[in-house]
């Protein structure tokens, strides 16, 4: 490590670079080695490609996003876009290091981009203070690689679906130039994972949906009449008491988890949390339950996941290596990495395998098997509860008498009200036939999923 | 901002991490002062991950001047840092990450400090050295070992990351194990538990009560029945456990037609038979602590940890009748509120009683060595008792032993190298490039024109290293080639990974929560694999 030999002033060349700037990176791009990928050829042009041509999209400017932007910028990537729909919160500051107290309330994507652009000369991060769903194929198609640092499985699945929809098949053969590699990372406390997805070639997000177990909710009867834990008391206040005191809709509908009118509980509003906290304490006192604290209340209401800087740093640190893999379109054997540093440090990589009948990437028609006497409600429950589907609020349409008919749609209140009676009707009553195709739209995918309805006896 | 406002602000800022290590962990962090030697990218990444969560203070020791290369891979240097002292330049940009933290720098070569003022290092909670030459590293290691200051060595060398922890003795009360077994004592119920169980008359209960009786009670009741019929022997093997499950099944209430009702608590009982029948014995790791010399000989110098270990040992031999203090927590289970809470209280109260007994033992030991009982708080004792089954002690031996020809862990190295692509080969290569540095005052392959010739030179270093330690292992030429290719580069992404890994280990050392690695960690960024060795 040279000491005192460099010029005192920074000699910035015409490209905005200074002497030695990329020396750490260059050794890997310009020198061959015994372990490099079979398609890799050392060349001075690769660095130029990174600097001038390669376009990367980072989704999420939070814990992972900040780390990713820094790592990419210092690895030579100059054309980076970042999408994040959130604004900065105080609780982000323990790990999202591109933000300061003065930035609270401002859009994450914009503040992150500004910081990187000023700290790393020549790097040009373009922010988008938007939801990923606000962009279409033409936006995503421009990128060479997409890296996700999301905190939502729904968003991941949507992204996954979007990239799958970009794939081009010529006579049933996948055109490799239509593949945009997706690198997905996630962290929770001291655990994390990172995976490479080559859409159409390797396992996609939905192929391994069972790796994300569905969220555990406490049974309603426990919350309503048999609380034992402080969490039960908090859920009572959140689910049952709040709507009662803030809307005029009977609690039966609450239990059915149907949309309500009135003031929604806002986890980011300290007054709301405080209200829930007080009510939880009262409930707990009634049953001699100890342990309700403000912190626990917040944690339960907001479903807070603990987070630290170090885990995000580790996972983001693995990503660019995965990118190198992706850049050379090298099918990675071990495409899924898990990390845990609760006890020592533990990493494990394995090959996540494609699911033959994956509802997202397999192109195998999905089946729905129900007797004609089954109610539409049952189909809805299947779509949401089945471990491989895990839809959130599916909208079901069918072609009946030559016309496209919406059987049930939850996300628009007026349509929900109109189609709600269909839930209690049988499939036969709705006019559906054996072999009929049902189109299901859901927030977990940008494309409609087609199901074939098979009547069982 | 008032004190109260500041505290609330800090609670909000640190909320996500307080849920991991609690307020007491945070306090330990805020009272710590960490020293970083060398503000290379790996080092500043480590510090970033300590400054963000609110470490009390840091001091960077670095004599280097910032080069263009440094600015290229270090986020905490900007283009106008070139020529400045690296400790100073990086301190500015690290400091502004968190105004609660106090950042300091010393513009000095660590070798110079070791020459003139080695006691400088005694003041730190932890010293972290990054990209440090072998000779200086060993010198520093020696000073810190003698001063009992924990030392964490970290380096990024091309696509390889390395960490070595050096600490005489690190005790952990709160190890937070991922899958802890419950402490239900169903195989040896304590008197209050037995009384509580006896108070239930399952056969004559109302249906509603029957269906909402905690599974622990149900299993306990039926175990009593079983023992009476089986010569006071608990179900031991699979066959007997199945028979016991059948007994439970038969206990489910039936309706008028004779079909079993839906009793989820009984389903839970049946599912939990294995858990319930786990013998309540003391884990070997804890037995080892009881047998340790530090436990046997309590002096006025004994750390609180060992006084408490001894007190728990005394408890086990007396009031505990061979068992650890009761933990006092039970898992959630299907039951009505009253039955669950009253069962929970039985365990809770017993735990308090046991902790009080342990407390008396603590007091008597403290008195015997002339210390006040207030030295160790009730809160600490209760926390200790709650975690009695999960106590851990980590010893990471001195560098001089790892490097000593007579004390090297030959067997560990040789057996790992049975697989010539084991991460162990990366360790041997790191040792070899250090040999190279000793001979040539530079690392191999830094400049393109050096690569080819250095492969030959490095190979010689590998041979002499293996010979010196008598290691009959095969180091493939590919690795020699690869390490010349690296040219001692420090790619940012590998530095970032190591920054996260090392920072978390530092936090474990400072908070005494979670278990640090022991003692050498290697990260292979090519294959994305890692391994931990004890060297």
């Amino acid at each position: 490590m040279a000491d005192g030999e460099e010029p005192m002033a920074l000699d910035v060349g015409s490209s905005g670079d200074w002497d030695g700037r990329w020396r750490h990176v260059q050794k890997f791009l310009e020198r061959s080695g015994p372990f490099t990928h079979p398609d890799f050829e050392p060349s001075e042009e690769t660095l130029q490609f990174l600097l001038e041509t390669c376009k990367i999209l980072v989704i999420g400017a939070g814990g992972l996003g900040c780390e990713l932007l820094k790592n990419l910028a210092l690895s030579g990537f100059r054309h980076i876009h970042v999408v994040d729909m959130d604004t900065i919160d105080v609780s982000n500051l323990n790990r999202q290091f591109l933000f300061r107290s003065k930035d609270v309330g401002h859009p994450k994507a914009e503040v992150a981009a500004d910081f990187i652009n000023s700290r790393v000369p020549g790097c040009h991060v373009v922010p988008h203070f938007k939801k990923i769903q606000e962009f279409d194929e033409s936006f995503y198609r421009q990128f060479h690689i997409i890296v996700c640092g999301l905190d939502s499985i729904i968003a991941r699945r949507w992204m996954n679906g979007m990239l799958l929809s970009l794939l081009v098949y010529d006579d049933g053969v996948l055109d490799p130039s239509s593949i945009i590699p997706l690198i997905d990372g996630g962290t929770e406390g001291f655990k994390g994972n990172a995976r490479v997805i080559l859409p159409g070639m390797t396992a996609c997000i939905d192929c391994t949906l069972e790796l994300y177990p569905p969220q555990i909710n406490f049974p309603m009867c426990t919350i309503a009449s048999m609380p034992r834990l402080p969490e039960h008391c908090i859920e009572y206040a959140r689910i049952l008491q709040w709507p009662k005191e803030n809307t005029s809709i009977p609690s039966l509908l609450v239990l059915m988890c149907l949309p309500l009118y009135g003031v929604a509980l806002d986890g980011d509003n300290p007054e709301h949390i405080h209200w829930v906290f007080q009510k939880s304490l009262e409930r707990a006192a009634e049953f001699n339950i100890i342990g309700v604290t403000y912190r626990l209340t917040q944690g339960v209401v907001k479903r807070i996941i603990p987070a630290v800087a170090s885990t995000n740093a580790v996972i983001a640190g693995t990503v660019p290596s995965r990118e190198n893999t992706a850049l050379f379109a090298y099918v990675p054997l071990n495409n899924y990495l898990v990390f845990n540093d609760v006890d020592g440090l533990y990493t494990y990589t394995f090959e996540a395998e494609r699911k033959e009948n994956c509802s997202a990437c397999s192109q195998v028609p999905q089946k729905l098997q129900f007797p004609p006497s089954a109610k539409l409600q049952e189909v809805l429950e299947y779509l949401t509860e089945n471990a491989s589907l895990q839809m959130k609020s599916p909208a079901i349409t069918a072609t009946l008498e030559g016309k496209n008919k919406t059987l049930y749609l939850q996300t628009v209140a007026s349509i929900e009200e109109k189609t709600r009676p269909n839930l209690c009707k049988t499939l036969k009553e709705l006019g559906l036939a054996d072999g009929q195709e049902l189109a299901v739209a859901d927030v977990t995918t940008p494309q409609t999923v087609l199901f074939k309805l098979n009547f069982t006896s | 901002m008032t004190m109260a406002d500041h505290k609330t602000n800090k609670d909000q800022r640190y909320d996500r991490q307080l849920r991991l290590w609690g307020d007491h962990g945070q306090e330990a962090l805020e009272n710590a002062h960490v020293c970083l030697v060398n503000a290379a990218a790996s080092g500043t990444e480590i510090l970033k991950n300590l400054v963000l969560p609110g470490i009390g203070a840091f001091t960077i020791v670095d004599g280097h001047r910032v080069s263009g290369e440094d600015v290229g891979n270090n986020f905490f240097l900007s283009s106008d840092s070139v020529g400045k002292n690296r400790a100073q330049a990086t301190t500015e940009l690290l400091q502004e990450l968190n105004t609660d933290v106090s950042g300091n720098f010393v513009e000095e070569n660590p070798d110079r400090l070791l020459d003139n003022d080695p006691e400088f290092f005694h003041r730190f909670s932890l010293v972290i050295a990054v990209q440090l030459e072998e000779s200086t590293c060993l010198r520093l290691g020696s000073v810190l070992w003698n001063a009992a200051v924990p030392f964490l060595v970290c380096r990024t060398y091309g696509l390889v990351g390395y960490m070595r922890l050096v600490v005489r003795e690190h005790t952990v009360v709160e190890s937070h194990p991922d899958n802890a077994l419950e402490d239900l004592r169903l195989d040896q119920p304590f008197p209050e538990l037995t009384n509580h169980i006896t108070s239930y008359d399952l056969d004559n209960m109302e249906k509603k009560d029957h269906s909402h009786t905690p599974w622990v009670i149900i299993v306990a009741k039926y175990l009593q029945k079983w023992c009476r019929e089986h010569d006071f022997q608990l179900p031991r093997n699979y066959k007997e456990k199945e028979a016991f499950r059948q007994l439970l099944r038969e206990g489910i209430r039936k309706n008028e037609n004779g079909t079993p009702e839906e009793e989820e608590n009984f389903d839970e009982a049946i599912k939990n038979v294995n858990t319930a029948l786990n013998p309540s014995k003391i884990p070997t790791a804890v037995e080892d602590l009881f047998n340790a010399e530090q436990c046997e000989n309590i002096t006025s110098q004994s750390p609180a940890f060992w006084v408490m270990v001894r007190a728990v040992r005394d408890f086990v031999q007396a009031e505990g009748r061979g068992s650890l203090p009761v933990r006092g927590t039970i898992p959630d289970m299907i039951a009505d509120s009253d039955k669950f809470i009253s069962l929970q209280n039985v365990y809770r109260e017993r735990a308090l009683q046991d902790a009080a007994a342990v407390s008396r033992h603590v007091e008597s030991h403290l008195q015997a060595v002339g210390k006040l009982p207030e030295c160790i708080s009730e809160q600490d004792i209760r926390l200790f008792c709650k975690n009695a089954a999960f106590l851990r002690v980590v010893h990471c031996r001195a560098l001089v032993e790892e490097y000593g020809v007579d004390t090297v862990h030959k067997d560990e190295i040789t057996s790992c190298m049975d697989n010539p692509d084991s991460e162990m080969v990366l360790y041997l290569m790191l040792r070899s490039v250090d040999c190279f540095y000793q001979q040539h005052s530079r690392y191999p392959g830094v400049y393109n024109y050096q690569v080819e010739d250095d492969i030959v030179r490095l190979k010689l270093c590998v041979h002499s290293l293996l010979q010196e330690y008598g290691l009959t292992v095969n180091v493939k030429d590919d690795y020699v080639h690869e390490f010349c290719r690296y040219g001692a580069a420090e790619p940012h992404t590998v530095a970032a990974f190591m920054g996260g890994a090392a920072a978390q280990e530092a936090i474990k050392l400072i908070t005494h929560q979670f278990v640090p690695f022991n003692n050498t960690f290697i990260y292979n960024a090519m294959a994305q694999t890692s391994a931990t060795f004890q060297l």
Side-chain angles (χ1 to χ4, degrees), chain A residues 1-10 12 18-25 27-37 40 67 70-75 89-101 115-116 119-121 189-191 194 218 221-222 225-229 232 270 287-290 294-296 298-300 302 304-311 313-322 334 337 339-349, chain B residues 9 11-23 45 48-49 52-53 63-80 82-83 93 96-97 131 158-159 163 175-178 212 332-338 340-341 344 348 392 421 437 443 445-448 451 478-479 481-482 484-494 496-497 499-505 507-508 514-517 521 523 525-532:
Chain A
M1 287 14 128
D3 181 53
E5 283 168 4
E6 304 297 310
M8 289 298 277
L10 198 60
V12 176
W18 53 86
D19 187 45
R21 182 178 190 181
W22 301 113
R23 209 167 281 155
H24 289 286
V25 170
K27 281 167 191 161
F28 300 95
L29 301 174
E30 295 171 10
R31 294 179 181 186
S32 64
F35 301 108
T36 50
H37 301 120
F40 172 68
E67 296 281 341
K70 160 181 72 74
N71 293 351
L72 290 170
L74 291 180
S75 299
D89 180 72
V90 175
S91 66
N92 297 149
L93 303 178
N94 81 327
R95 63 204 183 280
Q96 298 173 23
F97 61 94
L98 300 176
F99 313 140
R100 301 288 175 272
S101 306
F115 198 115
I116 297 281
R119 183 64 65 86
V120 187
F190 298 124
K191 302 181 183 162
F218 301 117
C221 57
T222 303
S225 51
M226 258 182 274
R228 297 177 295 268
L229 304 179
H232 300 159
F287 290 88
N288 292 312
I289 297 171
I290 63 176
Y294 186 87
R295 189 175 290 163
L296 184 68
Q298 226 188 0
V300 171
K302 294 176 69 169
I304 289 177
I305 296 175
V308 285
S310 57
T311 320
V314 165
I315 293 300
T318 68
V319 165
S321 305
R322 321 217 115 229
N334 292 321
L337 172 137
F339 172 80
N340 182 336
D341 63 358
V342 167
D343 185 341
L345 302 107
Y346 171 77
T347 63
Y348 178 66
T349 51
Chain B
N9 213 307
D11 275 347
Q12 286 177 311
R13 185 193 177 103
Y14 299 134
D15 179 82
R16 300 299 185 267
Q17 69 203 39
L18 293 173
R19 290 167 193 279
L20 290 165
W21 53 68
D23 296 313
E45 288 297 305
K48 153 176 130 315
N49 299 324
L52 287 169
H64 292 101
R65 302 219 152 268
V66 177
S67 67
E69 205 174 283
D70 285 333
V71 183
N73 81 340
N74 194 324
F75 194 72
F76 298 94
L77 290 172
S78 60
S79 38
D80 57 8
V82 170
L93 292 179
E96 77 83 31
L97 282 172
Q131 314 295 78
L159 297 176
M163 277 203 294
S175 56
H176 302 287
D178 259 336
H212 290 97
D332 191 25
M333 56 192 81
I334 293 165
D336 64 51
S337 311
D338 277 338
F340 180 81
I341 301 293
Q344 191 180 53
R348 221 174 243 159
R392 299 279 294 271
D421 298 307
Y437 189 89
Y443 288 104
V446 173
Y447 295 102
N448 287 345
V451 178
D478 280 349
Y479 291 102
H481 185 171
E482 183 75 357
C484 281
R485 175 188 181 225
Y486 291 159
E490 189 188 13
H492 181 82
T493 56
V494 183
F497 179 101
Q504 190 48 38
E505 296 309 301
I507 291 174
K508 291 179 189 174
F514 306 96
V515 185
F517 73 108
F521 174 78
Y523 170 57
M526 284 182 281
Q528 307 243 288
T529 56
S530 71
T532 301

Side-chain angles (χ1 to χ4, degrees), chain A residues 180-312:
Chain A
I180 299 179
L182 173 65
I183 304 181
D184 178 59
T187 65
E188 196 176 304
F190 298 124
K191 302 181 183 162
N193 60 72
R195 59 191 300 184
V196 179
I197 295 170
L198 296 172
M201 287 178 76
T202 62
C204 80
I205 301 274
D206 282 51
C207 288
T208 55
L209 212 47
E210 288 97 20
L211 284 178
Y212 306 105
Q215 230 165 25
I216 298 172
N217 291 313
F218 301 117
M220 200 42 94
C221 57
T222 303
I223 297 175
S225 51
M226 258 182 274
R228 297 177 295 268
L229 304 179
E231 288 87 342
H232 300 159
C233 304
I234 296 166
E235 289 288 71
Y236 180 81
R238 177 180 79 86
I239 299 173
L240 294 173
Q241 281 182 298
W242 176 276
K244 239 196 282 188
E245 316 232 349
N246 288 280
T247 69
S248 53
I249 303 279
S251 40
L252 178 62
L253 283 177
V254 176
L255 292 175
M256 286 174 70
C257 299
L258 291 173
L260 303 168
Y261 308 101
V263 180
L265 175 56
D266 178 8
D268 290 321
N269 184 329
E271 280 176 23
H272 289 199
I273 300 288
H274 207 80
W275 188 93
V276 174
F277 176 48
Q278 291 305 323
K279 293 293 176 188
S280 307
L281 283 173
E282 285 165 24
R283 176 85 170 156
E286 239 185 277
F287 290 88
N288 292 312
I289 297 171
I290 63 176
V292 173
T293 61
Y294 186 87
R295 189 175 290 163
L296 184 68
T297 305
Q298 226 188 0
V300 171
V301 170
K302 294 176 69 169
R303 295 217 191 266
I304 289 177
I305 296 175
V308 285
S310 57
T311 320
N312 283 317

Side-chain angles (χ1 to χ4, degrees), chain B residues 2 25 65 67 99 117 169 204-205 213 216 219 229 273 298 300 371 377 392 403 460 485 511 522:
Chain B
T2 65
R65 302 219 152 268
S67 67
T99 49
D117 181 21
E169 179 177 276
N204 294 314
M205 280 175 142
T213 297
V216 166
V219 168
E229 293 164 13
V273 163
I298 300 296
S300 58
K371 294 179 95 168
S377 70
R392 299 279 294 271
Y403 281 69
L460 287 173
R485 175 188 181 225
T511 59
I522 305 269

Side-chain angles (χ1 to χ4, degrees), chain B residues 293-303 306-307 310 365-366 368-371:
Chain B
E293 194 266 328
Q294 301 94 311
C295 173
E296 186 59 46
N297 300 320
I298 300 296
T299 70
S300 58
Q301 306 302 313
S302 295
W306 287 110
V307 176
R310 177 56 180 274
H365 281 290
L366 287 175
V369 296
K371 294 179 95 168

Side-chain angles (χ1 to χ4, degrees), chain B residues 405-429:
Chain B
V405 167
D406 298 323
T407 45
V408 62
H409 276 165
K410 237 169 110 157
D411 289 340
E412 171 106 2
I413 298 176
T414 318
S415 63
C416 286
M417 288 299 290
D418 274 344
N419 167 16
D421 298 307
S422 149
E423 285 79 7
M424 184 59 82
V425 74
L426 303 175
Y427 168 76
L428 292 173
M429 285 315 306

